[in-house]
């Protein structure tokens, strides 16, 4: 069974640029969530998409956005990058039913210079 | 969301049992107790969850206090591969099918050979 695939795994950007990260969930999993992990703040919830609609949103500025496609693949975008956006961005999926379990990818490591 | 309190770090010897505590004194009657762990350089992975009764699976056991204000994750025989950060998370039953998790700082478990 294929797991959660995140691309790219590593990337380096400079301040002011924008970045797009991609997440392909497990087949049949309709919910995709995004998390930011930093040494200082730990794991923080960004947003969740279910059936192409944002269902939940964390406390992040509008520079962070996302979308979900009809095949459940999701992208997140960060515009006008700041040094503090350097982090591991994790994607998680679940079937959308009451199973309680999320499946995480290995993340995309973003470094902003 | 109700908060959880965990020790910052714990140590264990290989092949010995490990008891990871979690306090959640403000837990509500509809909160499930979930445990995830994050191995180095990987995304979090689901370990176990429960509501009131003790739970067992192939990875671990979850012991829940009678008043539900605390719980303990039990690894019966720690291996070097169990070295990870362990997160205790409360999830309301109404959100248990969503992708939103509120992570605390977790417990870093070190396993000595």
């Amino acid at each position: 069974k294929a797991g959660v695939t995140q691309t790219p795994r590593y990337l380096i950007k400079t301040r002011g640029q924008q970045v797009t990260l991609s997440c392909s969930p497990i087949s049949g999993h309709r919910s995709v969530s995004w998390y930011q992990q930093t040494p200082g703040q730990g794991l923080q919830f960004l947003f969740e998409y279910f059936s192409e609609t944002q269902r939940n949103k964390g406390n992040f500025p509008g520079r962070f956005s996302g979308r979900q496609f009809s095949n459940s693949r999701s992208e997140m975008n960060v515009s006008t990058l700041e040094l503090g956006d350097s982090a591991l961005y994790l994607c998680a999926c679940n079937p959308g039913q009451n199973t309680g379990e999320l499946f995480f990818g290995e993340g995309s490591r973003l470094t902003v210079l | 969301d109700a908060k959880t309190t965990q020790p910052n770090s714990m140590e264990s010897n290989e092949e010995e049992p490990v008891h990871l505590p979690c306090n959640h004194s403000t837990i509500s009657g509809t909160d499930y107790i979930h445990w995830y762990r994050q191995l180095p350089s990987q995304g979090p992975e689901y370990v176990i969850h429960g509501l009131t009764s003790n739970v067992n699976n192939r990875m671990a056991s979850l012991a829940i206090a009678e008043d539900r204000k605390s719980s303990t994750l039990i690894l019966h025989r720690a291996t070097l591969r169990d070295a990870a950060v362990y997160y205790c998370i409360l999830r309301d039953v109404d959100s248990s099918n969503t992708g939103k998790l509120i992570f605390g700082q977790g417990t870093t478990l070190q396993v000595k050979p």
Side-chain angles (χ1 to χ4, degrees):
Chain A
K1 184 176 184 181
V4 181
T5 303
Q6 291 190 245
T7 56
R9 292 292 314 281
Y10 302 91
L11 67 166
I12 300 174
K13 293 285 187 178
T14 57
R15 281 180 297 174
Q17 288 186 312
Q18 73 158 5
V19 65
T20 299
L21 308 177
S22 178
C23 173
S24 293
I26 295 170
S27 177
H29 287 208
R30 298 164 62 192
S31 164
V32 175
S33 301
W34 289 90
Y35 290 80
Q36 181 195 65
Q37 185 170 29
T38 60
Q41 299 299 318
L43 274 157
Q44 293 184 285
F45 173 77
L46 280 157
F47 32 66
E48 177 195 12
Y49 286 87
F50 180 81
S51 294
E52 302 179 63
T53 301
Q54 189 179 86
R55 179 159 73 174
N56 283 295
K57 189 177 187 305
N59 189 27
F60 279 81
R63 299 186 298 107
F64 293 82
S65 63
R67 60 177 175 169
Q68 186 179 33
F69 302 95
S70 58
N71 62 357
S72 293
R73 189 177 72 85
S74 177
E75 289 181 347
M76 69 162 283
N77 183 277
V78 187
S79 62
T80 318
L81 284 166
E82 301 176 359
L83 295 179
D85 297 333
S86 294
L88 180 67
Y89 290 88
L90 291 155
C91 159
C93 66
N94 74 79
Q97 299 163 0
N98 191 5
T99 63
E101 180 177 357
L102 299 189
F103 298 84
F104 283 82
E106 294 188 314
S108 294
R109 172 75 63 185
L110 170 65
T111 301
V112 182
L113 302 177
Chain B
D1 294 303
K3 292 187 66 174
T4 63
T5 304
Q6 300 177 251
N8 288 332
S9 62
M10 292 185 63
E11 289 184 355
S12 172
N13 294 317
E14 197 176 11
E15 298 190 2
E16 291 185 356
V18 182
H19 291 230
L20 297 162
C22 181
N23 287 318
H24 28 79
S25 58
T26 59
I27 191 171
S28 74
T30 55
D31 282 336
Y32 280 80
I33 302 159
H34 289 248
W35 285 82
Y36 281 75
R37 72 179 185 181
Q38 187 173 20
L39 303 172
S41 302
Q42 294 190 24
E45 66 174 342
Y46 167 84
V47 178
I48 200 167
H49 78 282
L51 183 62
T52 56
S53 304
N54 294 343
V55 184
N56 300 292
N57 65 20
R58 64 175 180 81
M59 290 181 68
S61 295
L62 175 60
I64 301 172
E66 197 169 331
D67 63 7
R68 301 210 324 126
K69 292 185 177 182
S70 65
S71 60
T72 303
L73 180 70
I74 302 166
L75 307 178
H76 296 285
R77 288 186 64 196
T79 68
L80 296 179
R81 193 191 173 279
D82 291 322
V85 180
Y86 287 78
Y87 298 97
C88 171
I89 300 167
L90 301 182
R91 298 189 78 190
D92 183 83
V93 64
D94 289 337
S95 64
S96 60
N97 64 336
T98 74
K100 182 178 180 180
L101 294 175
I102 305 299
F103 286 86
Q105 294 305 308
T107 297
T108 300
L109 175 65
Q110 182 181 5
V111 180
K112 298 179 180 178

